[in-house]
Amino acid sequence: MVNMRSRKKEALEEQNQQRDPHKDLITSLLSIRDDDGSTMMSEDEITDNVIVLIIAGYDTTSVLLTFLVRLLANNKSIYSTIVQIAEQQQIESNKEFEEALTWEDLTKMKYTWRVATEMMRINPPVTLSFRRAKQDIEYGRFIIPKGWQVMLSVSMTHMDDSIFQNPTMFDPTRYEKHTPPTPFSYMAFGAGPRMCPGIELAKMETLVMMHRLVTRFSWSSPLKETLVSYEE
Ligand code: HEM
């Protein structure tokens, strides 16, 4: 990666190339400038950002999809509801087998997204997050001193029964209610200004993948016994 970044930097400098920040990530990061035109990011910061993006953008969605594939192998009722949605989709929009899905198609896959949302509540791909206290904060009986790093546990919040009733029960219908969840209660994508910027991409990837999987394949678990179980 260091080589790729250096080569890009040299190419941009040598050819005095017009920078198109939308060309690719490294060009975009190399192109960020302060108000006075000076470079804003050091090489280490650029490397760090690229690594964060690779991990944050890949490992998260793949963890979610892995859990969903496993769920569908074990839960025939959720599987058949998702298949029905996918088939209706196919019929309604008169799609050919290989035809691309549209944004509108994805907006209709509400049930599939509720299943994914519930999966991320029970098995959050990112289980914890960090913040630094900018001032002394009194929380309950505790003082969090300025400068301390605070770790929030997504899993513990999601298993809090004062927020989610029967928290160990896998229940995608809990998101059907029209009242939005209390802020900072559903934390799979974090919260606040540093919340995950990839939510919509993650949603799109998950829905497209689930649609493609259930319309082309059926599968079951080779294990007779599941070692991890949900209450249902
Ligand atoms: C199911 C999929 C995903 C989950 C569960 C997820 C979850 C999260 C969480 C919990 C955070 C930390 C937020 C916070 O501290 O408040 C985060 C940050 C981030 N995510 Fe995602 N993410 C997913 C997919 C993606 C995708 C597809 C991308 C981009 C391609 C992405 C890019 C990022 C980046 C760049 C950050 C760091 C943001 C910052 O520090 O300001 N994520 N994600």
Side-chain angles (χ1 to χ4, degrees):
M1 188 190 312
V2 176
N3 279 345
M4 194 202 294
R5 189 196 56 209
S6 305
R7 280 206 306 277
K8 277 213 172 289
K9 196 174 175 194
E10 279 162 25
L12 286 170
E13 278 162 7
E14 273 172 24
Q15 299 159 20
N16 199 16
Q17 208 172 304
Q18 186 67 31
R19 289 185 176 89
D20 173 8
H22 300 293
K23 192 167 174 242
D24 58 58
L25 179 66
I26 296 182
T27 311
S28 163
L29 295 171
L30 283 166
S31 306
I32 297 175
R33 291 281 176 274
D34 217 338
D35 288 345
D36 63 2
S38 59
T39 314
M40 271 186 79
M41 282 196 184
S42 68
E43 300 221 340
D44 282 349
E45 282 171 324
I46 291 179
T47 306
D48 192 51
N49 269 282
V50 174
I51 291 171
V52 165
L53 192 72
I54 291 170
I55 296 170
Y58 174 78
D59 285 321
T60 48
T61 320
S62 53
V63 165
L64 170 61
L65 285 166
T66 306
F67 274 111
L68 287 173
V69 167
R70 180 181 165 279
L71 173 79
L72 266 52
N74 295 325
N75 190 316
K76 292 296 156 214
S77 124
I78 292 182
Y79 177 83
S80 52
T81 313
I82 292 181
V83 171
Q84 273 168 24
I85 295 170
E87 282 168 357
Q88 276 161 18
Q89 205 72 39
Q90 224 70 0
I91 295 161
E92 269 176 36
S93 48
N94 251 340
K95 277 201 189 312
E96 297 294 328
F97 186 58
E98 294 288 342
E99 210 180 315
L101 291 163
T102 63
W103 188 253
E104 202 192 335
D105 294 331
L106 300 185
T107 59
K108 291 180 188 154
M109 299 181 193
K110 290 193 169 49
Y111 179 77
T112 314
W113 186 242
R114 281 181 196 135
V115 171
T117 303
E118 181 67 341
M119 183 52 83
M120 288 185 283
R121 186 184 66 78
I122 292 199
N123 291 304
V126 180
T127 51
L128 44 92
S129 209
F130 297 97
R131 294 290 188 271
R132 191 175 297 280
K134 290 177 82 176
Q135 59 198 50
D136 290 352
I137 295 167
E138 204 177 327
Y139 184 77
R141 292 178 296 115
F142 303 97
I143 301 281
I144 303 168
K146 178 181 172 184
W148 275 36
Q149 200 174 49
V150 181
M151 187 198 89
L152 71 91
S153 165
V154 177
S155 310
M156 282 175 74
T157 308
H158 287 181
M159 286 295 141
D160 184 336
D161 60 8
S162 69
I163 304 172
F164 297 100
Q165 275 181 2
N166 293 330
T168 55
M169 189 167 85
F170 189 92
D171 177 15
T173 64
R174 61 173 91 236
Y175 307 102
E176 283 169 10
K177 296 177 196 107
H178 295 294
T179 43
T182 321
F184 300 94
S185 61
Y186 184 81
M187 297 293 290
F189 291 100
R194 298 297 292 269
M195 186 176 185
C196 175
I199 299 180
E200 290 304 322
L201 178 62
K203 187 172 178 180
M204 189 174 74
E205 287 173 336
T206 307
L207 294 176
V208 171
M209 187 71 181
M210 292 319 290
H211 182 93
R212 294 290 184 229
L213 279 179
V214 300
T215 48
R216 285 159 205 220
F217 305 96
S218 62
W219 63 94
S220 57
S221 169
L223 294 174
K224 293 256 175 302
E225 232 180 284
T226 45
L227 303 174
V228 183
S229 68
Y230 311 107
E231 278 178 32
E232 278 164 19

